[in-house]
């Protein structure tokens, strides 16, 4: 039995989210975000209803970052950028369950995330 570590984040919309990381997998081949890695988080803002949020990190975006910076992102750096994107959604999206279930790490958001994390 896997024990999950529940974490808390207070979003910019005033909601207090609890979340935990479920896992990482390759996106389905027919997904609009493919080819990418899909990071899945279980999230709740009311401690009653839990829903999944998928954050997609496309291979093309990761490759582009590596070309611009002269090195590849480590797995930990990729996960960090994904979490920054999740937190950004918590800050900006009022109804995560209705409007924030599928998030994409764009070229711009990856640059902002890695800078925020101190990754060069």
């Amino acid at each position: 039995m896997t024990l999950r570590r529940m974490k808390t984040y207070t979003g910019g919309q005033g909601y207090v989210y609890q979340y935990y990381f479920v896992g990482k997998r390759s996106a389905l081949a027919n997904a609009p975000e493919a080819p990418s890695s899909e990071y899945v988080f279980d999230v709740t803002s009311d401690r009653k209803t839990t829903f999944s949020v998928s954050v997609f990190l496309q291979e093309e975006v990761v490759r582009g970052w590596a070309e611009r910076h002269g090195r590849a992102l480590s797995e930990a750096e990729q996960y960090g950028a994904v979490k920054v994107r999740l937190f950004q959604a918590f800050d900006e999206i009022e109804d995560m369950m209705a409007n924030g279930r599928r998030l994409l790490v764009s070229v711009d958001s990856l640059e902002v995330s890695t800078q925020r994390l101190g990754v060069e």
Side-chain angles (χ1 to χ4, degrees):
M1 183 169 166
T2 302
L3 293 176
R4 308 257 189 225
R5 197 168 133 226
M6 187 70 76
K7 298 178 183 176
T8 302
Y9 183 86
T10 303
Q13 299 288 328
Y15 295 102
V16 177
Y17 292 97
Q18 291 184 308
Y19 69 95
Y20 62 86
F21 179 61
V22 175
K24 173 187 169 187
R25 62 185 175 201
S26 293
L28 296 174
N30 62 349
E33 302 86 1
S36 65
S37 295
E38 179 182 5
Y39 295 77
V40 180
F41 297 86
D42 276 352
V43 175
T44 183
S45 61
D46 63 8
R47 296 183 184 190
K48 295 175 189 166
T49 306
T50 301
F51 55 94
S52 292
V53 174
S54 292
V55 183
F56 295 91
L57 182 57
Q58 294 176 312
E59 293 174 11
E60 176 182 312
V61 171
V62 174
R63 241 187 340 270
W65 190 96
E67 289 171 5
R68 286 187 303 281
H69 294 270
R71 70 170 188 90
L73 285 167
S74 71
E75 287 287 324
E77 290 167 338
Q78 290 179 38
Y79 176 74
V82 164
K83 276 190 62 174
V84 169
R85 178 64 186 98
L86 178 66
F87 295 163
Q88 181 184 33
F90 287 162
D91 288 338
E92 296 173 357
I93 299 173
E94 186 170 338
D95 187 349
M96 281 292 295
M97 191 162 80
N99 303 314
R101 306 282 301 268
R102 296 177 74 85
L103 307 171
L104 183 64
V105 178
S106 67
V107 172
D108 292 337
S109 67
L110 183 57
E111 285 295 334
V112 168
S113 297
T114 54
Q115 288 173 2
R116 191 169 162 190
L117 295 167
V119 176
E120 297 179 12

